[in-house]
Amino acid sequence: MSLVLASDAQKAARDAVTHAAWGSPLSVAQYQEREARLRAHPWSREAMSTWLWVGGDGAVLASCETFRTDSFLRGEDGRYAQGDSYAIASVFTETALRGRGYATRLMDAVALELERVAPRPHAVVLFSDVGAPLYRRSGYVEVPAWDWHLDASPEPGGRAVDGGLQETDVARTLGRMRRPGVPFHLWPSASQVDWHLERERIYAELLERPRPQTCGAVVGASTALWTMMARYGELVVLMLDARDASDAQALLGEARRVAHRAGLKRVVWWEEAATAPLLAGVPGAVRAPRDGSLPMLRPLRPGLPPAPEVPFPRALWV
């Protein structure tokens, strides 16, 4: 058995197989179109690889994808050194091949290969939908995961925001956001955020539904970026930099209005240590254990802090 990078033909062949896991509510043809468009996105072309674990006869036993993401590790001098981290996605083994350890061998082989080829290796992360035990075998450590939910509303009240954000504002918006003041963090590029918006564009077209009027908002020095998850009827907050509780309430109130106008059911955001104290007082906000997308981290070098100390905004999800 060996690890290989997939060819374009092999990627397309895996799409037909993985539709059963991730394709609903799209048809097979629509799902294949989604995957082709996402792979054609500039961030994917630059950052994405598809890996296959193959048998001696060339048969594919398991597969996954990796996406390179910028990460930053603080040194003893207090300065951050930029490095290379990788998000693993779409780990898949066909039903008839499960229970034989192929996915675990794939994960181990991919991490070793990334450690070997990365010019500035930091970590590998993933967002598990099958719990933690499978990936603990490969050295991944989970991060406690909570969501906050707010029902969409036409007029939730509270302060108005200073303005909404459009797709052309993403790069400038990321530049004004505060970076986490922690020893180690990952930070998305503008292209990575736009990859989430490309998913929104694709689902809006294929499911024939309206897109949200904005992809974020600003109030004072505070900022939020969001995207529509059409298949779940949610407006998902990708990044939230709220300087105080009043700003957090204003940004989330605007998100509720935007979600309502787009015909969505609710607003959802991932809890982070920096913003959690500001969100508990938002009227109507409900905190719940996250169902899936459990962040997990495996270091590629010594000296990284424990996984639970690493922040994971929704923009890092793949």
Side-chain angles (χ1 to χ4, degrees):
M1 289 179 280
S2 59
L3 178 71
V4 301
L5 284 168
S7 67
D8 288 342
Q10 288 171 318
K11 294 173 189 176
R14 291 305 283 175
D15 293 343
V17 174
T18 60
H19 172 269
W22 300 298
S24 179
L26 303 179
S27 67
V28 173
Q30 288 175 321
Y31 176 74
Q32 290 172 319
E33 178 182 348
R34 186 199 85 166
E35 292 297 282
R37 287 180 59 177
L38 287 175
R39 281 196 289 266
H41 187 272
W43 185 57
S44 298
R45 293 201 306 269
E46 177 185 358
M48 179 184 179
S49 297
T50 301
W51 304 88
L52 306 176
W53 188 244
V54 300
D57 59 356
V60 177
L61 306 175
S63 60
C64 71
E65 301 164 351
T66 59
F67 295 80
R68 197 198 71 79
T69 299
D70 291 332
S71 54
F72 300 85
L73 179 63
R74 188 165 60 200
E76 293 182 359
D77 60 359
R79 297 181 180 180
Y80 284 99
Q82 184 172 344
D84 302 296
S85 290
Y86 299 84
I88 290 186
S90 305
V91 181
F92 186 79
T93 306
E94 293 178 67
T95 303
L97 299 173
R98 292 174 186 170
R100 306 180 192 182
Y102 295 143
T104 298
R105 296 183 197 179
L106 168 69
M107 297 293 287
D108 292 342
V110 167
L112 290 173
E113 180 65 11
L114 294 175
E115 185 175 0
R116 185 183 71 84
V117 304
R120 307 160 299 180
H122 274 168
V124 184
V125 302
L126 58 85
F127 301 94
S128 174
D129 289 327
V130 294
L134 173 65
Y135 299 114
R136 285 183 190 145
R137 302 173 196 165
S138 297
Y140 289 84
V141 176
E142 66 270 25
V143 177
W146 295 82
D147 286 345
W148 288 84
H149 298 172
L150 266 175
D151 291 339
S153 174
E155 293 298 334
R159 293 169 57 201
V161 297
D162 296 334
L165 297 171
Q166 301 300 320
E167 295 170 9
T168 53
D169 299 320
V170 168
R172 176 178 56 83
T173 299
L174 284 173
R176 72 177 249 146
M177 284 185 159
R178 294 174 298 177
R179 301 289 184 97
V182 295
F184 175 71
H185 67 274
L186 296 87
W187 191 256
S189 65
S191 184
Q192 185 171 349
V193 171
D194 189 74
W195 178 86
H196 289 278
L197 297 176
E198 177 66 3
R199 293 178 66 93
E200 176 184 296
R201 298 178 197 115
I202 292 168
Y203 275 97
E205 292 176 22
L206 295 180
L207 299 181
E208 299 182 341
R209 63 172 306 147
R211 295 181 61 198
Q213 296 175 344
T214 60
C215 66
V218 297
V219 58
S222 299
T223 314
L225 287 168
W226 51 63
T227 189
M228 175 176 69
M229 292 291 286
R231 60 188 296 195
Y232 302 120
E234 297 174 346
L235 189 73
V236 175
V237 177
L238 297 173
M239 305 281 287
L240 179 62
D241 176 18
R243 307 302 171 99
D244 57 39
S246 177
D247 285 1
Q249 184 171 339
L251 289 169
L252 295 172
E254 178 64 13
R256 297 178 74 184
R257 282 186 285 268
V258 170
H260 183 268
R261 295 188 198 112
L264 304 175
K265 296 181 294 185
R266 59 180 169 263
V267 177
V268 177
W269 65 97
W270 286 12
E271 180 175 289
E272 298 178 63
T275 55
L278 307 177
L279 303 176
V282 175
V286 177
R287 184 177 186 252
R290 186 175 311 150
D291 182 15
S293 296
L294 177 68
M296 303 189 73
L297 182 144
R298 169 176 169 160
L300 293 178
R301 54 154 291 169
L304 293 188
E309 296 180 11
V310 179
F312 283 97
R314 180 59 169 71
L316 297 178
W317 175 91
V318 293

